[in-house]
Amino acid sequence: MAEGAGLLVLAAGASQRMGAPKALLPFGAGSGETFLTHILAQAAAVGVRSAVVVLGPPHGGLIREALQGRSREVQVAWNDAPERGMLSSVQAGLPLLEAVAGALVWPVDMPFVQRSTVRCIMTAASQREVAAAAQREEFAAPLIIPTHDGRGGHPIWVPADLFKETLLLPTEEGLRALRRRHPGREARLPVADPAVLCDVDTREALTEAWQRLSEEK
């Protein structure tokens, strides 16, 4: 397991098509969890102790209120202009993750990822075998992309030595620019979990996701 692992939850979007903040949507009937709290719990269960949630207008204040009481376990970063894209939120949150081996970058609209999948990513982050399979230097930390049916998904693992470079990337290029610059360090990790590809932007998509994932269990 990667030592000192961090978590970066991207929750700064406006959720216009959903019509409500995705971070605060209930995760299952009667569970008492939201998308956001479920993601935080999944990460904590596999040993992540340093978590940053990136918020922004127009729902950031409401989500911040919902996180009250978690200040010891969760830090909040603010993205004034999340419409610039996902990378702008990553760049807002990374500076708050100190003394970590790397970060799980996890969009809040992908809450269905199984705990076993997160554990698999975390384990792979610390295995030298992954580095060899990706044809990188023996001791280079891997940039891990979970894949299902050959398609890359989330959460991805960004090693700490790439944080500084990530902060300098043009926001319009996105995290793919980091992967293009370091193709030898990218480790695509096949997983049996279709939820690494499942993001939800509308109520209809949410209903379909619950139905599809329940059928695949």
Side-chain angles (χ1 to χ4, degrees), residues 26-80:
F27 187 85
S31 70
E33 288 190 309
T34 63
F35 278 21
L36 177 55
T37 60
H38 181 74
I39 289 172
L40 293 171
Q42 292 289 74
V46 299
V48 174
R49 292 291 177 263
S50 182
V52 173
V53 178
V54 185
L55 305 177
H59 305 300
L62 188 63
I63 300 169
R64 191 197 297 264
E65 289 180 10
L67 285 171
Q68 286 184 355
R70 289 176 172 263
S71 58
R72 290 186 178 181
E73 55 186 288
V74 181
Q75 298 184 79
V76 171
W78 190 263
N79 182 358
D80 286 317

Side-chain angles (χ1 to χ4, degrees), residues 171-182:
T171 55
E172 65 272 12
E173 291 190 21
L175 274 177
R176 283 190 176 88
L178 188 67
R179 294 160 59 183
R180 287 195 300 269
R181 295 182 185 192
H182 300 279

Side-chain angles (χ1 to χ4, degrees), residues 3-5 50 97-102 160:
E3 295 295 330
S50 182
L97 287 174
E98 300 179 347
V100 295

